[in-house]
Amino acid sequence: MPRRSPNTMMKRRLIVLMLCVAALLVALSATAMADFDPLKVSMSLSSNTFTEPKTITVSIKVSNTGESEMPGPVTLYYPNGKQVEEFGSPTLAIGASQSWTGTWKVTQKQLENGKITFKIEYSLYNDNDELVRKQKSFSKAINYQGGVASVEVNRTIAPTTANKGQKISVTYDVVNTGTIDIKDVTITEDKSISSKKGTIASIKAGEKASYTFNATMGTKDLTSKATITYTADGKKTTVTKEAATVKYGEVQLSASLDADKKGGMSGDTVTLTLKLKNSGKTDYENVTVTDPVLGEVAANVTVPAGETVTVEKEISISDTTDYQFTVAGHDTDGADVTTTSPRVTVTAIDPNQVVNLAVATEVDRDTVYQLPGTVRFHTKVSNLSTSSVSDVNVYASGVLMYTFPKIGAGETKEFSRDVDVTMAGQYQFVARVKNQLGETQNFEGNVVRIAYTLPTPVPTEAPIVTPVAPVYLQMPTEADLSRDYATLHRYLRYASMALAVPAILGLGLVLVGGVHRARRAAESAKAVDHLERGTVRDYTEKSAHPNVIQSGEEIADEAESADV
């Protein structure tokens, strides 16, 4: 066997190596093709850090990155397995995508697992060119820190110096700076301010709630200090607020602040009214009014001795805001004075909680002919709000006419009342209800006018004579005559048939009687004695024939013989 050269051996090894590499590349390519997924999914969360279960906003985008259209619909599912209906079931073309944004309440189990997982379902062709349904789960990591309870307490006293009998307000702002909600907040003030405890039901994480104590200055200083307790995650916590002194003193300039309403929807206006009262004997000049939110409210105001000056400020509602005016100035002697007004809170109402009612009234008559006169009023109350309204009271002339315990959103309810009207005039029904701020709102209905008119005398009426009802005689028609003639003819036919029988019987009897008489007549003719001319009959001889008539003497002789 010939020996191979080293070059030949090397060439063969190189060829084998190249074939192995090619086979490996083909296998890897086939595997890559088999594992290729044309759908790419991205997901984002509105919050990734949690201290407790809560609702977040989730945004998901599904894109087709393949080189062909998806052969079937794509379906999105929530972590609990329920289909996301808003996503739909799109069939994605090449390069197309479908997005969805919605809410999801993160559960405690998801917090413990540290992720939120959604799922999609779609169709693909396998290596055997068969259409199969596939599922893909995708997750987003979340950070669970556990609950942290923390509060911050701020206090505002107005005014800090007061005359005897002057009103003082002490307001506590409790801010929940923790990561979990707190509840059962209790504020205990010094007895010189109030013996009543202040309570707040709950405060959500990151939010603030306030409570105000009102006191009246006596003849000595007041002390404000508080103990605040709250419950978070089942644990009760206590914090304190250091003592502060409210001084008793002669203050000639006092300030009061009020709002014409407690609040309204965003964009509504509220008028704040500040009253500056100078109870001293000197004027206050160059008075400046400022507010932490509004900045400078008024400047160069003069408050004459013994008078009250009013400063008004109209504001537009955007959010719930606290307003407290600070007043600074000096009197004619150059003595400086500073005071603060009580705090006023203007609340922004949720548009979904705004009350809107419509009232419509109808009457069964618009004129009465005696006083009092009874009129029936029928009133409808429609709830045009987006939420139900409770305790709707309907008044007329200050009198409660009806109460609806509840009127649902978009619902109309109605009632009727018979009212004794004592005078002519205009009548109007008004629906009253408390809004979200506890204020009474009036919704006026349409105006109904009732007139009074003297009754018109009734004229004497002539007696009404009732005429005799006419007798109606129906004239026979040609059809009626024909029908009557036919009836008469039928009756006559029946009568003739009925009479024909006895007539025939009578005629037969007459014929029979005639024949019988004829026979007897014939027989009688034979027995009659006829005189025959030229013939002599001897009447002396007894006739032997029984039919021969005897003479009178013979008859007499026979009679005598019979007597003997």
Side-chain angles (χ1 to χ4, degrees):
M1 183 174 178
R3 188 174 181 180
R4 297 170 183 170
S5 65
N7 291 335
T8 303
M9 295 289 293
M10 183 64 68
K11 288 180 180 179
R12 289 184 176 180
R13 290 177 181 175
L14 183 60
I15 292 172
V16 172
L17 179 61
M18 291 177 63
L19 291 175
C20 291
V21 170
L24 179 61
L25 290 175
V26 171
L28 291 175
S29 177
T31 303
M33 291 296 294
D35 293 337
F36 175 73
D37 192 339
L39 285 186
K40 300 300 180 183
V41 183
S42 62
M43 178 171 63
S44 62
L45 308 177
S46 61
S47 177
N48 293 79
T49 303
F50 299 85
T51 59
E52 61 183 347
K54 67 177 182 179
T55 300
I56 61 172
T57 300
V58 181
S59 296
I60 296 174
K61 184 178 181 180
V62 181
S63 302
N64 179 9
T65 61
E67 297 180 354
S68 63
E69 181 179 351
M70 296 298 298
V74 180
T75 310
L76 178 65
Y77 293 90
Y78 287 105
N80 60 3
K82 183 179 179 182
Q83 182 179 348
V84 181
E85 300 290 346
E86 297 82 2
F87 182 82
S89 298
T91 302
L92 299 179
I94 301 174
S97 61
Q98 181 80 355
S99 299
W100 168 80
T101 298
T103 59
W104 172 252
K105 185 173 182 179
V106 181
T107 64
Q108 182 64 37
K109 185 176 181 180
Q110 290 169 338
L111 293 177
E112 295 172 357
N113 291 336
K115 62 182 180 179
I116 301 174
T117 303
F118 280 73
K119 180 180 67 176
I120 58 172
E121 191 174 273
Y122 55 100
S123 298
L124 285 179
Y125 288 104
N126 60 14
D127 295 338
N128 297 325
D129 203 25
E130 297 174 341
L131 188 65
V132 295
R133 197 70 174 163
K134 298 188 66 176
Q135 291 183 351
K136 177 191 289 187
S137 297
F138 51 96
S139 303
K140 194 73 173 179
I142 56 177
N143 181 22
Y144 179 45
Q145 297 180 346
V148 176
S150 176
V151 298
E152 178 182 323
V153 181
N154 300 317
R155 176 180 57 196
T156 302
I157 301 174
T160 55
T161 302
N163 299 320
K164 179 182 179 181
Q166 189 174 350
K167 299 296 182 182
I168 298 170
S169 65
V170 181
T171 302
Y172 287 90
D173 296 325
V174 182
V175 183
N176 184 355
T177 57
T179 59
I180 58 176
D181 296 349
I182 64 174
K183 60 182 180 179
D184 300 331
V185 181
T186 302
I187 306 171
T188 305
E189 248 288 4
D190 187 86
K191 291 183 179 180
S192 64
I193 298 297
S194 177
S195 59
K196 179 183 177 182
K197 294 183 179 181
T199 58
I200 301 173
S202 63
I203 307 175
K204 292 184 178 181
E207 296 186 2
K208 178 187 74 172
S210 302
Y211 188 88
T212 299
F213 294 94
N214 294 310
T216 303
M217 177 59 75
T219 57
K220 59 181 181 180
D221 295 348
L222 302 179
T223 299
S224 172
K225 60 179 180 180
T227 300
I228 300 96
T229 61
Y230 63 91
T231 301
D233 200 18
K235 298 179 181 179
K236 189 173 182 179
T237 304
T238 301
V239 296
T240 59
K241 194 65 177 177
E242 68 281 0
T245 301
V246 184
K247 295 182 179 181
Y248 165 72
E250 292 293 330
V251 179
Q252 307 299 332
L253 184 64
S254 62
S256 64
L257 183 63
D258 294 295
D260 62 342
K261 52 185 177 181
K262 293 182 179 180
M265 289 195 304
S266 179
D268 290 349
T269 58
V270 175
T271 300
L272 300 176
T273 301
L274 174 68
K275 292 184 178 181
L276 300 174
K277 182 179 179 181
N278 184 354
S279 57
K281 297 181 179 180
T282 60
D283 297 345
Y284 284 96
E285 300 173 343
N286 296 325
V287 175
T288 302
V289 181
T290 59
D291 178 79
V293 178
L294 302 175
E296 186 176 86
V297 177
N300 299 322
V301 178
T302 299
V303 185
E307 295 186 13
T308 299
V309 175
T310 299
V311 177
E312 292 186 348
K313 179 66 175 180
E314 186 177 83
I315 61 173
S316 178
I317 300 174
S318 57
D319 297 310
T320 299
T321 308
D322 296 329
Y323 298 95
Q324 188 170 33
F325 291 173
T326 299
V327 180
H330 57 82
D331 60 16
T332 54
D333 296 332
D336 293 334
V337 63
T338 302
T339 187
T340 55
S341 71
R343 186 164 63 174
V344 172
T345 301
V346 177
T347 304
I349 300 177
D350 182 355
N352 295 325
Q353 300 297 324
V354 175
V355 179
N356 187 13
L357 302 179
V359 182
T361 301
E362 297 177 349
V363 292
D364 65 342
R365 66 199 67 187
D366 57 9
T367 303
V368 294
Y369 300 97
Q370 63 179 10
L371 294 177
T374 302
V375 178
R376 170 159 291 189
F377 290 84
H378 185 77
T379 301
K380 297 180 180 180
V381 180
S382 302
N383 181 8
L384 307 181
S385 313
T386 57
S387 59
S388 61
V389 181
S390 301
D391 299 327
V392 180
N393 298 314
V394 182
Y395 289 82
S397 301
V399 178
L400 179 62
M401 305 298 294
Y402 198 84
T403 297
F404 295 107
K406 183 178 181 181
I407 304 179
E411 186 179 9
T412 297
K413 291 191 176 182
E414 52 192 279
F415 70 94
S416 296
R417 279 289 180 271
D418 290 336
V419 179
D420 289 336
V421 176
T422 58
M423 64 177 66
Q426 298 180 351
Y427 293 86
Q428 186 179 47
F429 282 65
V430 179
R432 296 178 183 173
V433 65
K434 289 188 179 297
N435 60 15
Q436 184 184 8
L437 304 176
E439 299 173 317
T440 299
Q441 283 187 261
N442 294 330
F443 297 90
E444 298 179 347
N446 57 302
V447 176
V448 178
R449 292 174 174 83
I450 304 297
Y452 168 67
T453 302
L454 292 173
T456 304
V458 180
T460 303
E461 298 180 358
I464 300 175
V465 179
T466 303
V468 179
V471 178
Y472 175 70
L473 298 177
Q474 181 176 1
M475 298 300 294
T477 62
E478 183 177 353
D480 296 333
L481 291 176
S482 299
R483 185 171 58 255
D484 295 343
Y485 175 76
T487 302
L488 178 61
H489 183 270
R490 184 171 63 255
Y491 287 162
L492 290 176
R493 186 172 68 251
Y494 292 160
S496 62
M497 293 175 62
L499 294 175
V501 175
I504 293 173
L505 293 177
L507 180 60
L509 292 175
V510 171
L511 292 176
V512 172
V515 173
H516 183 69
R517 284 193 300 270
R519 288 180 179 177
R520 293 187 65 178
E523 293 177 357
S524 298
K526 294 178 181 181
V528 174
D529 188 10
H530 295 278
L531 293 178
E532 296 182 359
R533 181 180 297 173
T535 303
V536 177
R537 181 180 291 271
D538 186 2
Y539 289 98
T540 61
E541 294 180 359
K542 291 184 179 181
S543 177
H545 199 282
N547 293 328
V548 177
I549 301 175
Q550 296 178 347
S551 64
E553 290 87 357
E554 289 176 347
I555 294 173
D557 291 339
E558 288 177 2
E560 290 177 359
S561 299
D563 292 338
V564 174

